[in-house]
Each structure stands twice: as structure tokens, then as C-alpha cells.
Amino acid sequence: MAAQTYLHLHPLRCLPFPLRIQNPQNQTHHFKQKPRNPVVCKLRVAVIGGGPAGSSAAEALATGGIETFLFERSPATAKPCGGAIPLCMLDEFSIPLNLIDRRVTQMRIVSPSNLVVDFGKTLKPHEFIAMLRREVLDSFLRQRAESSGATLLKALVTNLVVPTSTREPYVIHYTMDNCQHQLAVDVIIGADGANSRVAKSIKAGNYTTAIAFQERIKLPEDKMGYYENLAEMYIGNDVSPDFYAWVFPKCDHVAVGTGTVCSKSDIKSLQHAIRARVKPKIEGGKVIKVEAHPIPEHPRAVRVRGRVALVGDAAGYVTKCSGEGIYFAAKSGRICGEAIVKASEGGENMINEDDLKREYLRNWDDKYFTTFKFLDVLQKVFYGNNAAREALVELCGDEYVQRMTFDSYLYKNLASGNRWEDAKMVMNTISSLVRCNIMGREVEASAQKILSRV
């Protein structure tokens, strides 16, 4: 049996047949891109994880003619999440407007000293930030993937057997309805979150994670009215030493939470602190749900290995500074799914690691590498201590900064600004940092010289 080729196994690979496939400790894949390798049946792909990343990948695959299996162990639950999505995602992913709980047109950012800046002054009349509940969004995306032709399996994946040959399938062991099953597939997309089992199976390496903790609080009607179209962000060592805390409005409640990388053991104390800072606004509210979840802090070093690709949180696609992940999860899933369709010519040919790197990773990095690096720098500059956070809030009062921020966030492109206004923004940043005792006066003097040459 060990000598069987993949072509012999192909007609039976959906059955629980015995396979002598081992998971080597030091596996290296070598794939030739050409000639193409036709498969006996349509290419089979398993997507493990049914959040925005996995559902978007499954939809793209099924729409492109690929036999697709979407695994989701807990369809009724969802990852703890602020639930904000950019305006462009509504059109790009055809999100029905009735899924939106709140249209946020006002944002306030509150400094460690409680300096408050209104951060929505430059929003245009048609612009807003959509707030959704993840359980609602995730369910919609899964159903759409299923209606596109993907097979939804409400199952827990317990093991992934990696083949020793490029001609053999990946074998997924899973539990469904209290029974053990196996499924053999050609390609796997890991969309199973920060603690990805798929990533561990392909030895994708460890990475740093944060913890997000939030409480959903049902407020009295008069206090809920205050948050009708308002979201708040709080920064300071008391609520997070390296991130921010939030109050985001939902349909009939608010999500109050915080996150951290370096002080995970103190997460409940940090949550107590954000509740204390917003106490007058949420007093009388009732906690209806408590949630916590790991959040990746940077992309994994390995995102493709063999015929396995990682997307969403499993790949580490959560931005620094803002902590945004929903859009990038869905986008990475779609790009990966479309890459497999293209490389396999609609499921007619086998693909390999080089195909995934060329059609998926290169496309992704070309689009978003700069965005992720830029936000990483911003977090290092402004989230290090309270003085830097005060400078950040001060800068957020500038209308040009707000317009550039919203253009980049709402439409997912690093906005191209005015050269002179950009230079002034740099100077204002340095001046704010100087006022907050972060940088020396000599730096400001040097910057003035640079500005005079612009």
C-alpha cells in the first residue's frame, strides 16, 4: 500500500481507507512547475476554519470549479472581535446592508490624561465604519460559500497527515457527530486562527500572539443612545501597555474590551481599568457575554509549504496599531482561493508549492506588505509609553491626519497625500513628540532644515 501512487488513491480518497503516510520531522518539498500534472478527478481542496478567511476561500474555490470542503467546528460561536469593517468591504464582498448593526460616523480617541479628540470630522456624508457581530457575518459568509458549491462539514479536525510524496494526498482526521472520519485531499488552506493546527502540522513556526478580551454589555436605553453612531478608543498604560481599549456599539449592546501582548497575565486588570474609565457611560449595564481570544502580532515566517497555504489569523494577517483583521482575513482567503483556481486551471491540474507562492503569496505581499510594515512602525513609535500616546492623540486632532487615515482605512490603500501637507504632518508629529519629551530639541531643529528644502 505504501507504494501506491496518488493516481491510484484518487478514486477512493474520500473513504476512510488505511494509508501508511507518515509525518516526517524534517520535510522538504521540491516541486516542478511544468509540465502540468492532470488529475484523474477534479482537484480537491479542504479549507479548515469557517471564519471570514476560510469562507471567502471556499467561495472562491467552489465558484471556480474546485471540489471544496469547508470545515468549521463551532458554527454557532464566533471569535471575540470589535466587529468593525471598512466601507470598501461592503461592496467588494457584497455584504448585505441589513447585517450592519451600527454605522459609526463619530469616533473619539481618549488619551492617558483623558484628552478627547473627535476623529470623524472629515468623514464624507456617505462614509461610515460598519459595525457587525462576528457570529452574524461569519454565518452569512459560510452560507454563501455553501450555496456556491462548497461542502460544509460541522466537524473538529483532530489531525492532518502530511504526505511523504508529491503524488500522495493529505489526509484529514476529524470528528463529526461523535464519529471519527478521514478525508483525503489534494490541497489544504489553513484558516483556523492564531492557534492553527494546520500551521503546526506543516511546521510553519511559532509567532507572537496578543490576547483580546471583551465583555458585551447591554445598556439602558438612554445610555445606548449615546453610542448610536459613536465608537471610542482609549489608550494608556492603565488599559493596555502596548495596544488600546475600545467601546464599540452593536445592535442592542456595546463591546467593551482591551488587548495586550506583553501583559497577558494582567488582562483582567486591564479590562477592569477600561470599565473604570467608561463607568459613567455604562453604569447600569448588564454583562451578557465574556469573550477572550489570541490575536497574531505579525505574519508567520512560513505561510506556504507543500500544497498547504495559510490565510487570515493562521497566516498572521492582523495589522499592528489598529488591530484590524476581518478585511485582511477575507481578502487573503479570496486571493488564495482564486490563486488555486488559476494555477490548477479550474481544478483540472495538480498544483505545487511554487504555484501557491507565485499566485497567492506574491500577489498578497505586493498588495499589503507596505501597509503592514507602515502600521508596525506607527505602533512602535506611538504605543511605547504614555507620553507617546499623548502625542498620538494630539496628532489625531489634525484634519489632514484624519482624512489620510480614513482614506487609507475605508478604501484599503495607503492614501497618496499632498507633498507639502505630508511634510507639515511630519513636522507636527515631531513637534508633538518633542512636547511629550520623547525626542530632543536638536531633532526638531534638524527636521526644520529638512522641511525648508521640501
Side-chain angles (χ1 to χ4, degrees):
M1 190 70 175
Q4 289 189 73
T5 65
Y6 178 49
L7 289 177
H8 292 148
L9 290 173
H10 198 287
L12 300 175
R13 56 192 172 172
C14 61
L15 300 177
F17 52 85
L19 291 174
R20 295 180 192 172
I21 299 176
Q22 299 177 352
N23 193 353
Q25 296 300 311
N26 295 296
Q27 179 183 347
T28 303
H29 294 277
H30 300 284
F31 294 103
K32 293 182 179 179
Q33 182 177 336
K34 298 292 182 180
R36 304 307 297 170
N37 182 17
V39 293
V40 173
C41 302
K42 277 281 189 177
L43 193 76
R44 277 187 160 196
V45 180
V47 182
I48 300 177
S55 296
S56 298
E59 181 186 7
L61 289 164
T63 301
I66 306 292
E67 188 176 2
T68 306
F69 299 87
L70 176 60
F71 287 83
E72 173 52 48
R73 65 175 181 174
S74 303
T77 62
K79 166 186 162 185
C81 179
I85 65 171
L87 193 61
C88 65
M89 186 173 179
L90 297 175
D91 288 334
E92 192 174 341
F93 287 85
S94 301
I95 306 298
L97 297 182
N98 67 308
L99 298 189
I100 300 172
D101 285 336
R102 302 281 174 172
R103 300 185 181 207
V104 169
T105 55
Q106 299 181 59
M107 290 197 70
R108 288 185 185 141
I109 181 167
V110 185
S111 78
S113 66
N114 285 322
L115 170 67
V116 179
V117 167
D118 288 324
F119 199 65
K121 293 182 292 186
T122 64
L123 281 175
K124 297 172 183 176
H126 70 282
E127 292 179 333
F128 60 90
I129 298 170
M131 291 288 177
L132 308 89
R133 285 162 290 160
R134 276 291 300 273
E135 60 268 30
V136 174
L137 176 64
D138 291 10
S139 176
F140 167 77
L141 293 175
R142 276 195 299 272
Q143 290 173 11
R144 192 165 69 184
E146 193 173 15
S147 66
S148 296
T151 299
L152 177 61
L153 299 174
K154 299 175 183 179
L156 172 65
V157 173
T158 57
N159 189 32
L160 170 60
V161 180
V162 178
T164 57
S165 164
T166 61
R167 304 286 294 177
E168 294 178 339
Y170 293 83
V171 180
I172 300 168
H173 295 253
Y174 62 96
T175 301
M176 185 169 65
D177 298 328
N178 296 318
C179 294
Q180 303 296 317
H181 302 271
Q182 297 179 31
L183 178 70
V185 296
D186 306 299
V187 181
I188 290 176
I189 296 178
D192 49 340
N195 292 329
S196 170
R197 182 182 291 275
V198 176
K200 292 181 177 70
S201 297
I202 64 169
K203 298 177 174 58
N206 296 321
Y207 65 168
T208 305
T209 60
I211 184 171
F213 186 100
Q214 76 174 11
E215 297 169 296
R216 299 197 193 193
I217 303 176
K218 192 172 181 64
L219 301 181
E221 189 174 340
D222 59 327
K223 293 190 174 179
M224 194 66 221
Y226 174 78
Y227 286 108
E228 181 178 358
N229 61 355
L230 169 68
E232 293 180 321
M233 296 170 56
Y234 291 79
I235 55 177
N237 280 330
D238 58 332
V239 296
S240 177
D242 50 3
F243 200 52
Y244 65 87
W246 61 86
V247 182
F248 289 164
K250 304 297 181 182
C251 58
D252 61 352
H253 62 276
V254 292
V256 180
T258 186
T260 181
V261 176
C262 66
S263 297
K264 296 177 188 177
S265 61
D266 298 323
I267 190 65
K268 289 187 178 180
S269 297
L270 299 174
Q271 179 68 12
H272 180 76
I274 178 57
R275 289 196 60 164
R277 286 183 73 173
V278 300
K279 183 178 179 180
K281 302 171 187 177
I282 65 170
E283 205 161 21
K286 179 182 177 182
V287 176
I288 57 177
K289 193 172 186 180
V290 178
E291 306 167 305
H293 203 276
I295 305 293
E297 272 295 288
H298 56 82
R300 288 187 188 270
V302 175
R303 292 167 287 159
V304 166
R305 177 159 283 162
R307 287 170 277 133
V308 179
L310 302 176
V311 295
D313 283 12
Y317 296 149
V318 175
T319 61
K320 292 286 189 73
C321 195
S322 66
E324 183 188 3
I326 298 176
Y327 174 82
F328 293 111
K331 188 68 174 179
S332 64
R334 175 176 284 183
I335 289 176
C336 187
E338 290 175 345
I340 292 170
V341 171
K342 179 180 178 182
S344 68
E345 298 179 3
E348 298 299 328
N349 294 305
M350 181 59 67
I351 67 168
N352 59 36
E353 182 174 312
D354 290 336
D355 293 326
L356 288 171
K357 287 181 175 179
R358 181 184 66 255
E359 301 296 345
Y360 162 46
L361 283 190
R362 184 183 297 171
N363 191 2
W364 172 266
D365 288 341
D366 285 348
K367 287 178 180 292
Y368 300 115
F369 178 84
T370 303
T371 297
F372 275 70
K373 282 298 182 182
F374 176 72
L375 291 172
D376 187 17
V377 171
L378 283 186
Q379 178 157 319
K380 289 175 180 176
V381 171
F382 289 113
Y383 281 49
N385 53 57
N386 277 349
R389 295 183 187 103
E390 293 286 349
L392 172 62
V393 175
E394 184 178 279
L395 282 170
C396 287
D398 184 276
E399 291 194 6
Y400 182 72
V401 171
Q402 291 189 22
R403 187 66 250 164
M404 294 294 289
T405 300
F406 279 118
D407 281 351
S408 298
Y409 171 76
L410 293 175
Y411 305 108
K412 284 295 159 280
N413 288 307
L414 284 177
S416 300
N418 176 277
R419 185 182 179 190
W420 173 245
E421 291 293 339
D422 287 343
K424 287 200 300 183
M425 183 170 64
V426 171
M427 283 306 307
N428 289 338
T429 301
I430 294 171
S431 297
S432 293
L433 292 170
V434 168
R435 281 193 292 275
C436 295
N437 298 317
I438 303 301
M439 302 173 69
R441 295 289 175 181
E442 65 279 4
V443 176
E444 186 177 33
S446 298
Q448 290 284 3
K449 292 179 181 179
I450 295 172
L451 182 61
S452 66
R453 301 180 192 137
V454 175

